[in-house]
Amino acid sequence: MDLIEQTCRQSGFFALCHSTLRSDPRSSNANLEGLAKISVEIVIDKANATLNFIVDLFKNVSDPVLYRSYGTCIDSYGASVQRLLPEAIAALGSKDYATSRHDVATVATNVNACDEQFSEKTPFSDRNRLVHDLSLMSAGIIELLAFGLSRRTTVREVTELNGRVTIS
């Protein structure tokens, strides 16, 4: 079993983790810290794409309730891509795994805050779910850095310890 498979088996999102990391050529020669950084960079890409998608939709919203709801999503994603995810990358670089994990897991909380604005599926619900799950997957990988690959910490345990994110 190679490092990607070992890591993904403990990430809490095996299929997503495995397909995501295998599709990135940088992963094949990366160590665990490299896989963590790659996974956060993928969250950054997906969160930015989702933010841009929501902003494009927002331009055509005239209903005041939807306007506020979309605005909440833009604020949530803006905080994630402008502050939390860059801080997570910086914290990884300085081996502050607790901060990095917390910041990435908070992105999932922000996605939940966006989702809670709507009672029905939105044009970006699937994108939200992907960013949410990638964030928790990345938090799980970062947790492995803190406790070691042999410790069988799952994302569910990480989120229960963190107390800030729920898995729906």
Side-chain angles (χ1 to χ4, degrees):
M1 184 174 354
D2 69 359
L3 182 60
I4 292 173
E5 188 162 336
Q6 274 184 296
T7 302
C8 290
R9 286 200 183 283
Q10 296 181 61
S11 73
F13 292 85
F14 177 76
L16 176 64
C17 177
H18 196 262
S19 65
T20 300
L21 292 179
R22 290 268 183 231
S23 68
D24 191 305
R26 299 173 297 168
S27 298
S28 61
N29 295 321
N31 60 15
L32 185 58
E33 190 166 346
L35 293 177
K37 183 177 181 191
I38 290 165
S39 72
V40 175
E41 289 171 348
I42 290 168
V43 175
I44 291 170
D45 289 344
K46 298 299 183 187
N48 265 316
T50 303
L51 174 60
N52 291 333
F53 186 78
I54 294 169
V55 167
D56 285 344
L57 292 173
F58 181 72
K59 292 174 185 174
N60 298 314
V61 171
S62 57
D63 177 88
V65 173
L66 276 179
Y67 189 87
R68 279 191 303 277
S69 298
Y70 276 61
T72 297
C73 291
I74 291 168
D75 290 345
S76 294
Y77 271 97
S80 296
V81 299
Q82 293 170 5
R83 183 178 55 83
L84 292 168
L85 291 167
E87 285 176 7
I89 290 284
L92 262 179
S94 63
K95 300 194 183 323
D96 181 358
Y97 302 131
T99 297
S100 184
R101 184 194 75 232
H102 175 267
D103 287 348
V104 173
T106 301
V107 171
T109 302
N110 287 355
V111 171
N112 285 343
C114 173
D115 273 340
E116 290 169 359
Q117 301 303 305
F118 304 92
S119 58
E120 297 179 9
K121 187 171 178 158
T122 67
F124 49 90
S125 292
D126 292 339
R127 292 169 186 250
N128 276 354
R129 179 45 116 190
L130 179 61
V131 172
H132 176 273
D133 291 353
L134 284 170
S135 298
L136 292 181
M137 177 196 86
S138 294
I141 294 171
I142 295 165
E143 183 75 10
L144 295 173
L145 283 167
F147 290 108
L149 196 57
S150 62
R151 170 137 165 38
R152 297 241 177 236
T153 305
T154 65
V155 169
R156 188 170 307 279
E157 289 176 271
V158 171
T159 58
E160 287 171 1
L161 289 171
N162 187 344
R164 300 185 201 310
V165 179
T166 58
I167 299 175
S168 20

